[in-house]
């Protein structure tokens, strides 16, 4: 026969759009609408329900950016509808393509009982099925007029991202507020046709199954009377029964659908709005679970659960009931779905401690899977942390966003820096917003890299980013796809249920070693510098606060601030969410983050001060408190004592207006341009810098990526560069032994102070930044030939190549470090340490003299204009240090020193550390009291150099028992016999937590 495929497909599309969808609600009557708009921020539910209202007409404009309007809609079900199914259809002025990115609502009964959320894909509230007629309907809607920040013309700078700049122009027009008859047969016909039509599209043009579907669709369309769709929909459905009941082939791919709503804890909306987004989605999902017996919904991020519990107790009651039934499933085990590149070792651990503990305490659920669908890359230290938290599986789909290389597996073992392996799954559906579209289902099956040996994949199903969740249409399509010829099969499942099947069918999956680098969003290591600094400072201050408070509790009987530390940790962890710490949120979020970090710094400094005063007592001695994990200037790690004087630095002028700094260990020449032209290691008798090249060189690039401005830096940024070599002034600094350099460029200025501290060249940089779409780098060309370099990560470091032999290496043109980057030739190395920057790049050239220049560049500042048009404008301070002759151990130690400056107090006597270790390779990352309030001391440490360590840990107090625990301080073994000296043997990068009983 003739091929009429495209004709039938076009026919299907038009009939669906123009005749079937409008026929779902064949009859309707308008409801009466009244409104009250809250004067400022959202109000409690009771206040919104009780507020005086005024009439508003459908079609009227409403909703200033970020405002809240409380609508009251009332109506009477016509008696003529007796026996029919009736719904309220509530359209706030939605654009159906943007669920979660525009206005939203939560529907309540007049008594405040939450009913369900409203979004573009969920505009209905069931009134009765069947109705008796004459029912009085009254609903209340808490409607948020969140503006559209990201739309069809994406990445255009906008002032809508902060209520302080967004103005008051109404954003929406009330579109429909009706009571309507719901024709379930038409609704089902639409889903039948969508499933058949979408599957048809995905099958090969020459397949018999496709032809069968085409013919069945054609027959179904023939059966519809286009002038009376509602009367003929049943007959049309009958034509599809045969093709929709043909079972899947035995080798069909098997999809575990997990109901989900990826909700960004802040992004194009402020934190306070996420509190409400979560309540809306959770209300929708508890309602859907009640209607759909096979459906399962999973929600991650303990913080979001805690928000429901605290702010929406009525929603919480429904959620906990559904959890008890095993259908609303807590998944993952982190406080938020954080970034995993930048959080420090302890913070990454605490994401799991607080996340898992919440689910254990509230529900008795101890998850083994880590749920991070949207995080921008995964540091190689993570597997060990996952395991130490008592988990063993990871899910993400984000690596499918890589622009250069295609990851070779979807199910595999991921091996971290210490050798820990976690079972990892990348859903081949390549989205966390699966909608059960045939294209997505077919893509998952085709894309799955492990076919032949494995058959299961997971599909997170539901509207996400801004929330919304799974719809009844998705559930209906999943039912049709349960066992359907030509398609992958679909079954609702919990994440744990999926992983159990995936592990069982694939006992020997392939292994991927090292970081899971996302070849995109590399600028998230730099954008919003103050948010990143706030994170790093908070991490350091928390370390200090725990250390000194624990020491004061044991030594001086001071009260330990359990609740304060718990709250502060959770706040810091929240801000590590994958759009806050990465700098990709609207201005409002980052403005609040800066204020929050400042308040935390004050509070933590107060805690530290209280503890140190309790320890020092009043006295005449100048005591230096050393919170670093290594002894410094004669002060033991974790103790306080008078410090030995440092090495003085002589400063001599150079003929060109520069200066020479010399402390007997290093001789550093700063030229008349303020650049470091020599850094001579006097012990090794070796120059650090390549001949004729200068370090401490600020470089300015144009930086206008093709999209995702705050997220992305595209490789072509390197094509143009301005070296900032002109100095306004180079003088010997106000502080003895230092040189001060000032420069101006564009609308900006920089002041740097260069000084020596032992074997460290310290560079303090203050930038007054007023550029647009620029990238500022600080360059250190080094006379070192090395195939690879090390960058610190959680509980260790990971290596990356200095060359670009393959596309995998070339794609890592901007990467993450924690406190140091280190490279070396055998016997001699060099490091750059920092107090708050994360982005860097390393390149290499071979010189005419045959030597190799390896250039390390630190990323200081960017100036993207979306989503925050004023990103990074203003004053910034950074501290970096160049370490000529540094081993990895030196880099580790100096990194800690730079991040944990000494605190000086006058006191009566020295303070001995609570815990000491006799091997500098073993780094203690946390000393604290146990979270259970027992008074036990918890010590966490790891091997920091990538080698083995055999050390003795010594407690400075009587110890009644020593227990190896997991991160949650749960025992992993029987307590060992007491003793102050504890021998420990560690593998490379091995992490250990000990609980010391008192
Ligand atoms: Zn996200």
């Amino acid at each position: 026969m003739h091929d009429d495929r495209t004709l039938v497909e076009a026919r299907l599309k038009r009939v669906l759009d123009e005749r079937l969808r409008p026929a779902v609600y064949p009859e309707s009557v308008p409801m009466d609408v009244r409104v009250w708009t809250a004067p400022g921020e959202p109000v409690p539910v009771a206040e919104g329900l009780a507020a005086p209202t005024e009439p508003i007409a459908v079609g009227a404009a409403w909703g200033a950016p970020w405002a809240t309007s409380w609508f009251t809609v009332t109506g009477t079900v016509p008696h003529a509808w007796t026996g029919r199914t009736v719904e309220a259809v509530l359209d706030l002025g939605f654009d159906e393509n943007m669920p979660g990115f525009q206005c939203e609502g939560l529907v309540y009964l007049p008594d405040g009982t939450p009913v369900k959320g409203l979004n573009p894909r969920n505009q209905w509230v069931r009134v009765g099925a069947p109705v008796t007629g004459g029912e009085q309907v009254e609903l209340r809607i808490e409607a948020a007029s969140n503006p559209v920040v990201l739309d069809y013309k994406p990445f255009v700078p906008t002032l809508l991202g902060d209520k302080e700049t967004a103005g008051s122009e109404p954003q929406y027009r009330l579109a429909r507020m009706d009571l309507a008859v719901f024709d379930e047969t038409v609704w089902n016909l639409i889903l039948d046709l969508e499933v058949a039509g979408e599957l048809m599209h995905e099958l090969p043009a020459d397949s018999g199954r496709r032809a069968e579907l085409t013919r069945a669709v054609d027959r179904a369309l023939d059966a519809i009377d286009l002038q009376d769709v509602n009367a003929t929909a049943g007959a049309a459905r009958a034509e599809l029964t045969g093709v929709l009941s043909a079972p899947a082939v035995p080798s069909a791919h098997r999809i575990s659908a997990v109901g989900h709503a990826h909700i960004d804890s802040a992004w194009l909306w402020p934190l306070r709005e996420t509190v409400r987004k979560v309540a809306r989605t959770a209300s929708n999902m508890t309602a859907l679970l009640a209607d759909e017996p096979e459906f399962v919904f999973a929600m991650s991020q303990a913080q979001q659960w805690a928000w429901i519990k605290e702010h929406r107790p009525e929603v919480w009651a429904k959620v906990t009931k559904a959890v008890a039934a095993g259908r609303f499933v807590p998944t993952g085990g982190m406080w938020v779905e954080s970034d995993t590149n930048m959080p420090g070792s302890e913070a990454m651990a605490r994401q799991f401690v607080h996340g898992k503990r919440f689910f254990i305490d509230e529900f008795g659920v101890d998850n083994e899977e880590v749920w991070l669908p949207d995080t921008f890359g995964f540091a190689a230290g993570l597997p060990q942390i996952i395991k130490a938290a008592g988990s063993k599986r990871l899910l993400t789909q984000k690596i499918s966003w890589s622009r250069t290389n295609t990851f070779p597996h979807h199910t595999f073992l991921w091996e971290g820096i210490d050798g820990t392996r976690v079972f990892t799954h990348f859903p081949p559906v390549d989205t966390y917003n699966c909608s059960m579209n045939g294209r997505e289902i077919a893509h998952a099956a085709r894309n799955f890299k492990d076919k032949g040996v494995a058959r299961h994949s997971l599909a997170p199903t539901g509207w996400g980013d801004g929330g919304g969740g799974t719809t009844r249409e998705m559930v209906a399509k999943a039912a049709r796809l349960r066992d359907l010829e030509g398609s992958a099969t679909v079954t609702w499942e919990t994440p744990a249920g999926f992983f159990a099947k995936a592990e069982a069918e694939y006992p020997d999956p392939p292994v991927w070693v090292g970081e899971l680098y996302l070849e995109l969003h590399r600028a998230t290591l730099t954008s919003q510098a103050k948010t990143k600094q706030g994170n790093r400072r908070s991490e350091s201050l928390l370390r200090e606060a725990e250390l000194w408070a624990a020491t004061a509790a044991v030594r001086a009987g001071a009260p330990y601030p359990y609740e304060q530390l718990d709250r502060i940790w959770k706040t810091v962890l929240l801000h590590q969410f994958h759009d806050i710490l990465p700098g990709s949120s609207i201005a409002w979020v980052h403005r609040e983050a800066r204020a929050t970090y400042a308040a935390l710094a004050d509070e933590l400094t107060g805690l530290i001060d209280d503890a140190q005063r309790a320890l020092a007592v009043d006295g005449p001695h100048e005591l230096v408190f050393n919170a670093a994990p290594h002894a410094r200037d004669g002060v033991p790690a974790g103790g306080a004592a008078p410090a030995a004087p440092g090495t003085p630095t002589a400063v001599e002028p150079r003929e060109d207006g520069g200066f020479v700094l010399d402390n007997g260990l290093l001789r550093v020449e700063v030229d008349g341009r303020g650049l470091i032209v020599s850094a001579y290691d006097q012990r090794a008798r070796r120059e650090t810098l390549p001949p004729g090249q200068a370090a401490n060189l600020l470089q300015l690039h144009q930086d206008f990526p093709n999209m995702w401005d705050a997220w992305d830096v595209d490789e072509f940024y390197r094509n143009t560069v301005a070296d900032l070599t002109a100095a306004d002034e180079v003088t010997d600094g106000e502080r003895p032994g230092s040189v001060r350099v000032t420069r101006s460029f564009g609308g900006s200025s920089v002041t740097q102070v260069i000084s020596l501290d032992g074997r460290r060249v310290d560079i303090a940089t203050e930038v007054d930044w007023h550029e647009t779409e620029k990238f500022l780098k600080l360059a250190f060309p080094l006379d070192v030939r090395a195939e690879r370099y090390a960058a610190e990560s959680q509980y260790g470091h990971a290596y990356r190549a200095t060359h670009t032999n393959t596309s995998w290496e070339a794609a890592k043109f901007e990467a993450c470090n924690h406190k140091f980057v280190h490279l070396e030739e055998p016997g001699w190395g060099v490091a750059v340490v920092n107090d708050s920057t994360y982005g860097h790049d390393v390149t290499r050239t071979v010189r005419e003299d045959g030597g190799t220049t390896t250039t390390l560049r630190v990323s200081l500042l960017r100036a993207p204009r979306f989503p925050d048009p004023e990103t990074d404008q203003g004053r910034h301070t950074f501290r970096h240090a160049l370490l000529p002759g540094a081993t990895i151990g030196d880099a580790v130690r100096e990194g800690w020193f730079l991040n944990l400056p000494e605190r000086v107090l006058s006191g009566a006597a020295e303070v001995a550390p609570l815990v000491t270790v006799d091997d500098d390779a073993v780094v203690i990352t946390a000393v604290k009291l146990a979270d259970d309030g027992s008074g036990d001391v918890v010590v966490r440490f790891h091997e920091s150099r990538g080698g083995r360590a055999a050390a003795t840990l010594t407690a400075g107090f009587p110890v009644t028992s020593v227990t190896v625990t997991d991160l949650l301080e749960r025992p992993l073994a029987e307590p060992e016999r007491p003793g102050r000296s504890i021998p420990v043997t560690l593998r490379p990068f091995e992490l250990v937590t000990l609980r010391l009983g008192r």
Side-chain angles (χ1 to χ4, degrees), residues 453-468:
V453 277
R455 195 172 283 165
H456 285 85
S457 75
L458 186 149
T461 301
W463 297 111
D465 293 315

Side-chain angles (χ1 to χ4, degrees), residues 414-428:
W414 178 31
E415 181 180 310
I417 52 173
D418 71 308
T420 300
R421 292 176 171 186
V422 294
F423 188 89
T424 300
H425 180 65
F426 291 177

Side-chain angles (χ1 to χ4, degrees), residues 121-282:
R121 302 300 183 116
N122 229 319
Q123 303 183 17
W124 56 275
V125 175
R126 186 61 64 89
V127 169
V131 292
T132 53
E135 289 99 330
Q136 301 292 317
V137 179
E138 178 175 346
L139 299 170
R140 307 299 186 90
I141 308 167
E142 180 188 13
S145 43
N146 302 337
V148 175
V149 175
L150 182 66
D151 63 11
Y152 300 101
K153 209 175 161 201
F155 316 121
V156 176
T158 170
L159 294 174
L160 288 169
D162 193 335
K163 65 173 178 177
E164 292 189 349
T165 57
S168 57
E169 190 69 27
Q171 302 290 298
Y172 300 99
R173 274 183 193 282
L174 217 49
R176 185 178 186 185
M177 293 278 163
D178 286 349
L179 287 174
V181 171
F182 175 70
D183 188 328
E184 195 160 355
T185 307
V186 173
W187 182 81
N188 273 307
L189 174 61
I190 291 170
L191 292 157
D192 288 347
L193 284 168
E194 284 182 351
V195 167
E198 287 161 8
L199 175 59
M200 185 171 82
H201 265 286
E202 298 303 322
L203 292 168
D206 58 1
S207 88
R209 174 64 170 159
R210 179 164 180 157
E212 280 180 8
L213 287 162
T214 305
R215 296 277 60 90
V217 166
D218 211 25
R219 286 197 306 275
L221 296 175
D222 288 342
I224 301 167
D225 177 348
L226 294 175
Q227 276 63 51
D228 196 354
V229 168
N230 301 87
T232 51
R237 290 201 71 195
E239 295 296 338
L240 294 164
T241 310
V243 287
L244 291 179
S245 56
V249 298
S251 63
H253 184 66
R254 284 147 171 60
I255 290 175
S256 298
V258 176
H260 190 52
H262 175 71
I263 302 184
D264 290 310
S265 292
W267 181 28
L268 303 175
W269 43 87
L271 283 167
R272 66 89 160 147
E273 191 56 31
T274 318
V275 173
R276 301 200 296 176
K277 279 178 175 289
V278 173
R280 290 178 204 122
T281 293

Side-chain angles (χ1 to χ4, degrees), residues 567-600:
R567 174 174 46 76
I568 295 171
W569 260 120
K570 286 173 177 166
T571 306
V572 172
L573 299 177
L574 167 59
H575 286 78
Q576 293 177 340
F577 176 74
H578 65 255
D579 283 306
I580 305 181
L581 180 54
S584 44
S585 282
I586 51 174
W588 189 347
V589 174
H590 291 288
R591 173 169 58 78
E592 288 192 332
R594 292 191 290 273
T596 299
Y597 283 129
L600 294 186

